[in-house]
Amino acid sequence: MMKNILLYKVLARYTSTKAARFVPKTGVYPKGYEVGGIHCGVKKDGKTFDLAILHNTHGKDASAAAVFTTNKFKAAPVQVSQKLIKETKGAGINSIVVNSGNANAVTGAQGMKDAEDMVIVTDSVLENKPNSTLVMSTGVIGNNLPIDNILSGIPKLALSHLGNSHQNWIDCATAICTTDTFPKLVSKQFTIGKDTYTLAGLCKGAGMICPNMATLLGFFVTDAPVSPSALQLILKYAVDRSFNSITVDGDMSTNDTIAAIANGAAGGELIDLNSSCAERYAELQKEITDFAQQLAQLVVRDGEGATKFITIKVKDALSYKDAKSIASSVANSSLFKTAMYGKDANWGRILCAIGYADVGNGSVVPQKTSVKFVPVDGSESLQLLQNGEPEKVDEERASEILADEDLVIEIDLGTGGGQGADFWTCDLSHEYVTINGDYRS
Amino acid sequence: MMKNILLYKVLARYTSTKAARFVPKTGVYPKGYEVGGIHCGVKKDGKTFDLAILHNTHGKDASAAAVFTTNKFKAAPVQVSQKLIKETKGAGINSIVVNSGNANAVTGAQGMKDAEDMVIVTDSVLENKPNSTLVMSTGVIGNNLPIDNILSGIPKLALSHLGNSHQNWIDCATAICTTDTFPKLVSKQFTIGKDTYTLAGLCKGAGMICPNMATLLGFFVTDAPVSPSALQLILKYAVDRSFNSITVDGDMSTNDTIAAIANGAAGGELIDLNSSCAERYAELQKEITDFAQQLAQLVVRDGEGATKFITIKVKDALSYKDAKSIASSVANSSLFKTAMYGKDANWGRILCAIGYADVGNGSVVPQKTSVKFVPVDGSESLQLLQNGEPEKVDEERASEILADEDLVIEIDLGTGGGQGADFWTCDLSHEYVTINGDYRS
């Protein structure tokens, strides 16, 4: 009981401060979309939002792309959406429907039928052509959906609670949350040539709290005109460098899905794969990648029990793959993560995790490897290892840097290859163990 | 301060009870060896043993084999021993010298010279031919060894403190410890045909406590007659299924080394790779593998903050590699490990970790996968998942099973391939975070 009270206090503290810091007060949203969220009766408390819809109202078919979990136990909605993207090649996907509170995973044939019914009812209510809706679910696994509540919730939401206001977007982002302590929503405007476009993105994810599997779900929507095949490549590139470059606890869920929709409502020339639009393609890719990173970082900020936000920056690797593999190895090391929690300038654990990363010979040369702490306040960085030799570390300065919530750890491999990768992680705290181990006691 | 007191209490409790349960009171040791340990002045407290020697006194050259860390930051003693094994092909290695308290890792040219000097002095004092000694170090990284203390300690130990008594073996096992809460020593006798042989093994390892990198070190010695090439293959096979099938926190150190020595002092025909001794080879391999598993399990028992000892048993995989990869994925999942700490029958986290193991398509078929808890007291097992369908779990029975320190989790992949693998792990507790994160506060 004591523990539960403590847990609630911890969560309450996080909810208030993180929400205040990371949930936007206003936003600028893409043209031609309506979104919203309501409570439909999946979550047991009778009020928390648990159903979200996003709909393309531009009047012309949108392009869609999606990347899915590689977990072999794929939830029913993942299987249904994956099939849909495959069959349509991403052309004419105009809506997304999401329920939270139940993941519809490990639910057999009934689960597949439920996911398909969510698509059918959403398409019908929104007057889409059939197979125009992607479906996502997140929450408890192993239980069938309360499908009647969802199927009667869809028309209610679609007909009376969709819109394009900031509050509609917040409602939508809130309705996909499970154990998240704040809704994750980002928006921005950018220009490509003379055209101004808008991007909005929302996502959820905060590690797993049993019996929830807190899936990583996210979607970006833009009013830029993009072909489905270009959008798929851009999404893959962006997700590799954002949602696939973060870790809270290293576990990959059965439901992870990131989707993108582009409806072209802001006009301008179509961005496709042919060489004539290579420059605009590259600009869009950069915008979406930066944006995806911003969104993915919010998931790390909301990591279970996280007290630190750490960027692992690997430089001068032989390849991007090497750089990412090494960054991931450090970011996932429990020893490194507990050292960060303990505010301990432990270069040994960093070096050790670099050394066992799954990369080829020659990718890491001890005598060329340097590691430093880079404070985010712009003050001088602190060298820990220089060309494989440990530096005499100023412990006072280290403590100063480690007292901050944010920290960048720069690993320079010195291979001459010039490739780099960033990875974002949080620390491993007592709260993590409390949330994941003690929640029942 | 409170935390420190708590930590000491925790450690003290573990030390007494685990030592009482897992340190043997007597032993049976192989012929033709002398071993021992003393304090030579690496550890700062002025008394804890920190230097160990094992020596073949049989009068004939022994065979040796070793496997080393794959970490790219290899400590100086690893580099020196690896070179020695390569050059001698394992023939004529008659001694092992180990210091604890300092890992001689990331120590540059001086570190290499120090490791080489340890070999030279040991060979000289023990009247070996040159290059007859393997060297190992474990402890703090980034500092040079107090080499004078070690080099003057070697003759003292070699000339006055070696023997073949149970206490000598305990001293030797104690002298290689760092953050271990008890010395790890196992011995047994077995027969191959009409010949009786003896095996002794000792090891250390208990996760890493900064600034120590608590390396995994171990060695087996036997009086069976085995050729170096046969011994190398047997050791590799045994280590794959023992020391490479355990995890405390998933981190691999710069110093990990497991060696084997066989001096043939008990007589009998040489066990080599030719087909005439295939049967005896297989018997020896089985004995050494079982033995290595017993020893490796002690490392898990002594895992930092461990309150549970968990065996992950994967059955009916397509290949041994698949089985091991899946077992390892579950054993290393922080979410699974915290669930075990919380005594939570969370099949979702097990299934999730099975699903993201790095195996090919067809290696895991959700509809064929079954998972159950097998109590070690022989009482009825508890099915959690049957052919991909979750079972209605009797929570009371689950709590009963999870109250035990030991637990077997059986994962039946149902592929028809018939291959299996075992993996041993512990839970992830508050104490783990305390030991690794808070130790300075």
Side-chain angles (χ1 to χ4, degrees), chain A residues 3 70-74 106-108 141-142 207-211 213 249-254 304 333-336 338-339 341-349 351-366 369 385 388-390 395 428-430 432-440, chain B residues 3 70-74 106-108 141-142 207-211 213 249-254 304 333-336 338-339 341-349 351-366 369 385 388-390 395 428-430 432-440:
Chain A
K3 277 174 186 161
T70 57
N71 197 301
K72 292 194 176 58
F73 290 85
K74 286 183 175 59
V106 201
T107 44
I141 74 165
M208 296 186 193
I209 298 184
C210 165
M213 305 190 77
D249 49 32
D251 281 38
M252 213 189 303
S253 102
T254 50
E304 284 174 353
S333 158
S334 293
L335 282 167
F336 164 70
T338 42
Y341 175 61
K343 302 187 174 60
D344 174 17
N346 193 318
W347 57 267
R349 294 184 185 179
L351 172 149
C352 185
I354 297 170
Y356 65 69
D358 185 19
V359 296
N361 285 327
S363 297
V364 175
V365 182
T369 305
L385 200 74
E389 298 280 336
E395 292 286 348
L428 174 56
S429 67
H430 279 119
Y432 177 86
V433 177
T434 301
I435 295 171
N436 284 294
D438 283 4
Y439 77 101
R440 276 179 166 188
Chain B
K3 277 177 188 160
T70 57
N71 197 301
K72 293 195 174 59
F73 290 86
K74 287 183 175 58
V106 201
T107 44
I141 74 165
M208 296 186 193
I209 298 184
C210 165
M213 305 189 77
D249 49 31
D251 280 39
M252 214 190 303
S253 103
T254 50
E304 284 173 353
S333 158
S334 293
L335 282 167
F336 165 70
T338 42
Y341 175 61
K343 302 186 174 61
D344 174 18
N346 193 318
W347 57 267
R349 294 184 184 179
L351 172 150
C352 184
I354 297 170
Y356 65 69
D358 186 19
V359 295
N361 285 328
S363 297
V364 174
V365 182
T369 305
L385 201 73
E389 298 280 336
E395 293 286 348
L428 175 56
S429 67
H430 279 118
Y432 177 87
V433 177
T434 300
I435 296 171
N436 284 295
D438 283 4
Y439 76 100
R440 276 178 165 186

Side-chain angles (χ1 to χ4, degrees), chain B residues 37-54:
Chain B
I38 58 166
H39 171 78
C40 78
V42 184
K43 290 180 184 166
K44 299 264 155 67
D45 67 358
K47 60 182 182 194
T48 312
F49 284 8
D50 52 18
L51 185 68
I53 285 179
L54 176 140

Side-chain angles (χ1 to χ4, degrees), chain A residues 105-125:
Chain A
V106 201
T107 44
Q110 182 64 44
M112 288 298 289
K113 183 172 183 309
D114 291 347
E116 285 159 5
D117 283 351
M118 285 173 71
V119 173
I120 291 169
V121 170
T122 307
D123 279 339
S124 151
V125 171

Side-chain angles (χ1 to χ4, degrees), chain B residues 310 312 330-331 333-340 349-350 409 425:
Chain B
I310 304 154
I312 313 286
V330 175
S333 158
S334 293
L335 282 167
F336 165 70
K337 290 171 64 143
T338 42
M340 289 297 100
R349 294 184 184 179
I350 298 172
I409 292 172
T425 189

Side-chain angles (χ1 to χ4, degrees), chain A residues 191-193 234 271-287:
Chain A
T191 56
I192 296 185
I234 288 174
I271 298 176
D272 200 354
L273 292 176
N274 52 43
S275 56
S276 66
C277 44
E279 203 174 311
R280 302 176 76 226
Y281 177 96
E283 280 179 57
L284 183 66
Q285 177 170 277
K286 187 179 178 317
E287 293 292 349

